[in-house]
Amino acid sequence: MVRAAKTPLKFGLYLGCRIPLVKPELEVSIKKVLPLLGVRLTELEGYSCCPTWVSIPSFDEEAWLAISARNISIAEENGVDVVTGCSNCYSVLNHARHLLEDEKRRERTNRILSRIGRVYRGKAKIHHITHILSNFVGRKKIRENLVYPLDGLVVAVHPGCHMLWPTKIMDIPEENPFYPRVLRDLVEVLGGKAPYYSRIEYCCGAGSFIINMDYETSSYFVLTKLTSIKEEIDPDFIVTACSSCYIQLDEVQRRLRKEGKIDFEIPVFYYTQVLAICMGIDPDSVVGTDEVSKKGVVNRIVEGGRK
Amino acid sequence: MKDVVKLKKAEIQRRAEVLIEEVMRFGGTEIKRCIQCGSCMSVCPVAITGFDYPNKKLFKLVMLGLREEVLEDPSPWVCVACGRCIEVCSQNVNPMFIYFAFRRIQVREFSIPAVAREALRLVYETGHAIPVSGVEKVRKKLGLPEIPKSTLSNPDALREVQKILKGTDIAELGIVPSSRV
């Protein structure tokens, strides 16, 4: 467990692609919540795609490491560690960091970066936003800032693959990634119940490619996951920490409903959206227009009454 | 019916060595350590999808030197890069990177899925893997800058990304321009 720092917390915010370009309301929730909890955010200006697994890493290792190293070098210039809300970025950048511990790779990468006047030193760590909340901000601080606690609402937690494996490349790994705790704890801090269910770490099927190659297979993952969630814990809503899973679970769920494969709906939230609402931030500013309406849940949280 | 060609044992071995070397060169550096235990397959989403060659099967083909079998097979592209296989592998094979080695081998044979081609093109042209489509209005309404502070609003930063890509192997594929001579 990393101790909460005494010096003011400061991180470089790396937004990636999906959050700012598809679900900007998640960006709003992150930017509103963290400063209120005492975290100063510097945006990593001029960053590019991490680059996502589908793109450059699938073509060439050398080019991948150079683009990732360039992104990380922007944080190094600012003297900050990186925080990202996108699990894909979290995974790509941490894998790159891990590979760049190898002297040969680092040298080769720095030779490429020298063409653009940059250098990769391997100083900046890459954290996921949930790590900042659980290990740096801490439960106490979150609890102090709650305006509308979840009051026992039942939440199905979906951490998402990229936050969990492989632990060897992460600075803040789960104790047992097959029985993930971090996101469950973060939901419980808000006063919600986050019971274990058998497919808690099951893939959402979005991944980098399944969704584009084969909708049937991809939606099978969501169907399996949702059925398990519904039968085992019948929650009020789902909370995820991955922006890709967030989109997948929401969009495919609506399609499954239309196709008659499920006869229920479970609203999906990104963790900082729920946190923002619980902290009394205007729900309209952090909840967009998604497929499965969040309205009912938002009302229940807010009407649950102030602490 | 397939033509049957009988290969000498030495020839089979030679092909296997060539393919193993190729996979190692493209990032599957630890493939020789695989003992075919199947741990990776027991946790792999690709195995659930029913595509033909989930990891351990793919690795066996490599070790048998059957390059043609997988040259156009989509299985390596189904990997979600979840990293479960890396976690459970007792021999530190880093199985996920063998999938990626195969993608890299396939693209050099111009067997490139449209989604990957498009993602690469977009990263080169904009710095992002997904297109900006009408999000500016939504961002403005939410009180955010219309364009994120990425390569999208910083031409010099985008040029850096392009300069990197133009000087690597990627530029040989005809998707992005090359600065190599």
Side-chain angles (χ1 to χ4, degrees):
Chain A
M1 196 63 151
V2 179
R3 291 273 308 139
K6 294 229 160 47
T7 44
L9 293 168
K10 197 179 161 196
F11 291 95
L13 178 61
Y14 182 85
L15 286 165
C17 303
R18 280 229 169 91
I19 292 180
L21 298 178
V22 182
K23 297 286 176 191
E25 60 271 24
L26 304 191
E27 180 178 337
V28 176
S29 70
I30 293 168
K31 285 181 171 171
K32 285 199 172 172
V33 159
L34 285 181
L36 283 175
L37 294 170
V39 179
R40 262 171 58 199
L41 295 173
T42 329
E43 275 195 66
L44 299 181
E45 292 191 23
Y47 78 90
S48 71
C49 179
C50 54
T52 182
W53 292 117
V54 190
S55 65
I56 298 163
S58 294
F59 288 80
D60 189 57
E61 185 189 285
E62 188 180 278
W64 159 32
L65 295 180
I67 299 287
S68 283
R70 177 187 171 274
N71 282 323
I72 300 172
S73 79
I74 302 175
E76 289 177 353
E77 267 176 13
N78 285 284
V80 288
D81 288 338
V82 176
V83 55
T84 178
C86 171
S87 302
N88 198 356
C89 302
Y90 174 70
S91 140
V92 168
L93 294 175
N94 265 320
H95 270 291
R97 254 190 100 217
H98 187 69
L99 289 175
L100 286 167
E101 280 167 16
D102 170 42
E103 201 68 37
K104 259 197 198 149
R105 285 191 171 100
R106 189 191 290 219
E107 233 182 80
R108 203 180 55 190
T109 302
N110 271 327
R111 217 175 305 136
I112 298 174
L113 289 186
S114 70
R115 292 179 207 149
I116 56 168
R118 286 187 179 275
V119 60
Y120 171 81
R121 299 181 204 278
K123 288 245 160 66
K125 290 178 179 165
I126 316 295
H127 296 302
H128 190 278
I129 201 150
T130 52
H131 299 143
I132 304 300
L133 292 166
S134 66
N135 290 42
F136 295 93
V137 172
R139 298 174 203 193
K140 188 167 164 261
K141 181 98 181 170
I142 297 176
R143 222 174 273 129
E144 283 167 8
N145 280 276
L146 290 185
V147 179
Y148 303 112
L150 290 182
D151 262 350
L153 290 178
V154 178
V155 177
V157 158
H158 172 78
C161 302
H162 293 115
M163 242 184 75
L164 304 176
W165 299 280
T167 47
K168 71 173 181 189
I169 63 163
M170 299 174 185
D171 283 291
I172 304 178
E174 287 271 357
E175 212 165 288
N176 180 350
F178 290 92
Y179 292 86
R181 271 301 340 173
V182 172
L183 195 55
R184 287 176 72 192
D185 289 345
L186 283 174
V187 167
E188 283 165 6
V189 169
L190 306 181
K193 290 190 176 126
Y196 175 79
Y197 61 98
S198 59
R199 289 193 174 85
I200 192 165
E201 45 76 59
Y202 197 77
C203 174
C204 76
S208 46
F209 258 92
I210 307 178
I211 184 73
N212 292 305
M213 290 178 76
D214 186 345
Y215 167 73
E216 278 302 313
T217 310
S218 176
S219 67
Y220 168 81
F221 282 86
V222 180
L223 180 61
T224 309
K225 178 120 205 165
L226 287 176
T227 313
S228 169
I229 287 175
K230 184 74 183 170
E231 283 176 1
E232 293 175 40
I233 59 174
D234 194 15
D236 296 293
F237 57 100
I238 295 170
V239 165
T240 179
C242 171
S243 47
S244 301
C245 301
Y246 172 79
I247 296 169
Q248 169 88 345
L249 292 174
D250 179 58
E251 287 180 359
V252 177
Q253 182 176 173
R254 174 48 63 91
R255 280 173 77 165
L256 289 170
R257 181 94 196 253
K258 274 191 195 147
E259 291 160 4
K261 289 180 181 159
I262 51 171
D263 59 0
F264 55 85
E265 274 182 354
I266 314 173
V268 186
F269 288 78
Y270 184 80
Y271 182 75
T272 48
Q273 285 181 312
V274 183
L275 179 57
I277 297 167
C278 290
M279 284 169 62
I281 292 163
D282 175 19
D284 288 339
S285 69
V286 295
V287 172
T289 48
D290 293 310
E291 294 289 335
V292 180
S293 172
K294 298 179 173 47
K295 223 172 166 173
V297 173
V298 172
N299 288 342
R300 278 185 68 187
I301 298 174
V302 177
E303 281 159 18
R306 281 174 186 266
K307 239 192 343 184
Chain B
M1 195 150 138
K2 270 189 178 173
D3 293 333
V4 179
V5 181
K6 276 201 170 169
L7 295 173
K8 284 204 176 112
K9 212 173 169 189
E11 172 62 9
I12 295 174
Q13 195 137 23
R14 193 194 62 83
R15 289 189 184 187
E17 275 165 25
V18 170
L19 184 55
I20 288 172
E21 191 279 326
E22 192 180 17
V23 166
M24 288 171 71
R25 189 154 32 96
F26 287 111
T29 51
E30 311 303 317
I31 186 161
K32 281 184 181 166
R33 305 170 67 109
C34 177
I35 54 169
Q36 289 282 300
C37 72
S39 300
C40 53
M41 232 160 92
S42 73
V43 292
C44 178
V46 182
I48 299 173
T49 63
F51 278 80
D52 288 345
Y53 299 114
N55 28 29
K56 128 175 168 147
K57 266 191 177 170
L58 179 68
F59 311 158
K60 188 71 189 174
L61 288 184
V62 174
M63 289 190 277
L64 292 171
L66 297 169
R67 192 173 186 271
E68 305 295 317
E69 297 281 323
V70 264
L71 215 46
E72 288 183 18
D73 188 84
S75 306
W77 293 91
V78 185
C79 168
V80 300
C82 71
R84 282 175 178 85
C85 54
I86 301 179
E87 188 80 22
V88 301
C89 180
S90 65
Q91 304 300 309
N92 290 324
V93 172
N94 283 341
M96 180 184 124
F97 283 109
I98 299 172
Y99 277 136
F100 275 78
F102 247 96
R103 292 183 186 183
R104 293 165 191 160
I105 292 169
Q106 287 190 350
V107 301
R108 280 163 179 78
E109 300 277 355
F110 298 99
S111 169
I112 311 173
V115 207
R117 178 185 291 271
E118 181 62 5
L120 173 59
R121 192 186 63 78
L122 277 169
V123 173
Y124 180 80
E125 281 175 11
T126 68
H128 286 282
I130 48 173
V132 189
S133 48
V135 78
E136 298 94 328
K137 273 189 203 154
V138 185
R139 291 182 59 85
K140 196 177 174 188
K141 222 175 125 192
L142 289 168
L144 295 167
E146 283 179 53
I147 307 282
K149 291 180 180 171
S150 64
T151 43
L152 286 173
S153 55
N154 188 332
D156 288 337
L158 181 58
R159 265 192 293 275
E160 286 184 14
V161 170
Q162 292 176 334
K163 203 167 174 188
I164 290 174
L165 295 179
K166 279 198 278 192
T168 63
D169 264 11
I170 280 190
E172 311 288 319
L173 301 169
I175 301 170
V176 311
S178 171
S179 65
R180 286 182 169 179
V181 279

